[in-house]
Amino acid sequence: MARFVLRRVLQSAVVLLGVTLVVFLLLQLVPGDPVRVALGTRFDPQTYEALRARAGLDQPLPVQYASYLGHALTGDLGVSFRTGQPVSRIVLERLPATLSLAVTAVVFALLVAFPLGIVAAVRSGSAVDHAARVFSQFGVSVPDFWMGIMGILLFAGVLGWLPPSGYVALTDDPGRWATHVALPAVTVGLVTASILTRFIRSSVLEVLSADYVRTAEAKGLRNRVVILRHVLRNALIPVVTVVAVQLASLLGGVIVIEVLFAWPGIGRLTFDAVQARDYPVLQGAVLLVAALFLLVNLLVDILYARLDPRITVR
């Protein structure tokens, strides 16, 4: 296991290196001068050249990339063109908001998708099965921003139960955090739940037709015992991958939802950085998202070995 983890860490380092190179090259193709955007409409040439030199933009591209990579290895991701603050501090300050939203949305999705998907598979062809398939199709078809707007109109505008936007840290006030995270988490969670419901239903249906399940039923085991001991454990293995992908995507920031609900997460930070041509912040946000994806993939591979003893890590 230790050798496997070490090898995956080294592979992740290579991937992150490739991500930094691709993002750096793509940013060179973006039109507009980030220094001019940062300075505004009124500035003198001396200030302009001084800021370009401070950001290293007056150097050749290979020198710029080598300098960025060298500083990144020490944890220095540069400074923001807009605020002058360290990028690493800006990104890490936005991470708790994204973590709280992503984890809450995934927990909500699992609470909806697991019972719905399992019951739909066990009672295939029933009204519950048809309802689950309609819900799954609805969730992946309707845009999440539309559901978010409808949620704001209903629960914040008409009923007045929840605030329409804003963010309160969990550590500051758990009660107010819960009221603020409810609408964006449910909006994102419904889309995730619809995807998971379809995969859970398909996975459980596949396992139900396996020979060992029919053997367990022929031995006279109760249906609940067959489902819990023999079906779910094997059906969960492919579902873990889907859950991990959804979680990693949410950790990367749901830009539309974070902008809609004024949620100060990684997605909102990326959106603001693109608008302001704040390249250091944009590079730092993308690098963090890539690292989170790789971390989730590593944890999933380790979890696979725990769920299924037949899977070995080398």
Side-chain angles (χ1 to χ4, degrees):
M1 178 65 73
R3 291 177 57 188
F4 169 77
V5 173
L6 179 60
R7 185 171 66 252
R8 287 299 302 272
V9 170
L10 294 177
Q11 292 173 351
S12 299
V14 175
V15 172
L16 288 178
L17 179 63
V19 169
T20 60
L21 179 60
V22 171
V23 173
F24 178 82
L25 294 177
L26 289 178
L27 289 179
Q28 308 308 315
L29 303 177
V30 177
D33 189 341
V35 176
R36 291 181 181 274
V37 175
L39 292 176
T41 56
R42 297 181 179 180
F43 60 88
D44 55 85
Q46 292 79 10
T47 304
Y48 174 77
E49 294 298 334
L51 185 55
R52 279 184 58 86
R54 175 187 172 188
L57 298 178
D58 58 340
Q59 300 293 328
L61 291 182
V63 176
Q64 292 183 36
Y65 177 71
S67 176
Y68 172 78
L69 189 60
H71 286 86
L73 292 175
T74 63
D76 181 10
L77 301 178
V79 295
S80 170
F81 288 157
R82 289 189 304 166
T83 64
Q85 295 181 346
V87 172
S88 55
R89 180 193 304 171
I90 296 175
V91 173
L92 292 178
E93 286 177 352
R94 298 295 188 98
L95 184 58
T98 295
L99 283 175
S100 64
L101 176 59
V103 172
T104 306
V106 170
V107 170
F108 171 79
L110 291 175
L111 292 176
V112 173
F114 262 98
L116 188 58
I118 293 171
V119 174
V122 173
R123 300 182 180 179
S124 179
S126 65
V128 176
D129 185 25
H130 291 300
R133 283 186 284 179
V134 170
F135 166 74
S136 180
Q137 191 65 34
F138 175 82
V140 298
S141 302
V142 177
D144 53 0
F145 69 85
W146 183 84
M147 286 193 290
I149 293 173
M150 293 300 103
I152 292 174
L153 290 176
L154 177 60
F155 295 102
V158 177
L159 300 176
W161 292 351
L162 299 171
S165 61
Y167 169 74
V168 176
L170 175 61
T171 54
D172 294 340
D173 191 334
R176 292 184 59 200
W177 169 84
T179 59
H180 281 82
V181 79
L183 274 179
V186 170
T187 302
V188 177
L190 284 175
V191 178
T192 305
S194 64
I195 298 173
L196 293 178
T197 299
R198 176 178 297 182
F199 276 92
I200 292 172
R201 177 184 178 274
S202 300
S203 182
V204 172
L205 279 175
E206 182 180 354
V207 175
L208 282 173
S209 61
D211 292 337
Y212 59 85
V213 174
R214 289 197 293 266
T215 301
E217 293 173 342
K219 289 181 177 180
L221 295 178
R222 289 183 299 175
N223 190 47
R224 175 183 292 183
V225 176
V226 173
I227 297 297
L228 294 178
R229 291 187 180 180
H230 300 280
V231 175
L232 287 186
R233 182 168 184 176
N234 293 281
L236 283 179
I237 296 175
V239 175
V240 168
T241 302
V242 183
V243 175
V245 170
Q246 295 299 315
L247 176 60
S249 300
L250 296 180
L251 289 176
V254 188
I255 296 179
V256 175
I257 296 301
E258 290 189 0
V259 172
L260 177 63
F261 289 97
W263 195 262
I266 299 298
R268 179 65 181 269
L269 178 65
T270 304
F271 177 79
D272 294 339
V274 171
Q275 282 192 317
R277 303 292 192 275
D278 200 343
Y279 293 167
V281 173
L282 184 57
Q283 287 176 298
V286 173
L287 187 61
L288 176 62
V289 170
L292 291 174
F293 261 94
L294 294 171
L295 177 61
V296 170
N297 287 333
L298 175 61
L299 294 178
V300 168
D301 289 340
I302 297 175
L303 184 60
Y304 267 3
R306 299 298 182 185
L307 290 176
D308 191 348
R310 296 171 299 178
I311 299 176
T312 58
V313 292
R314 299 177 179 177

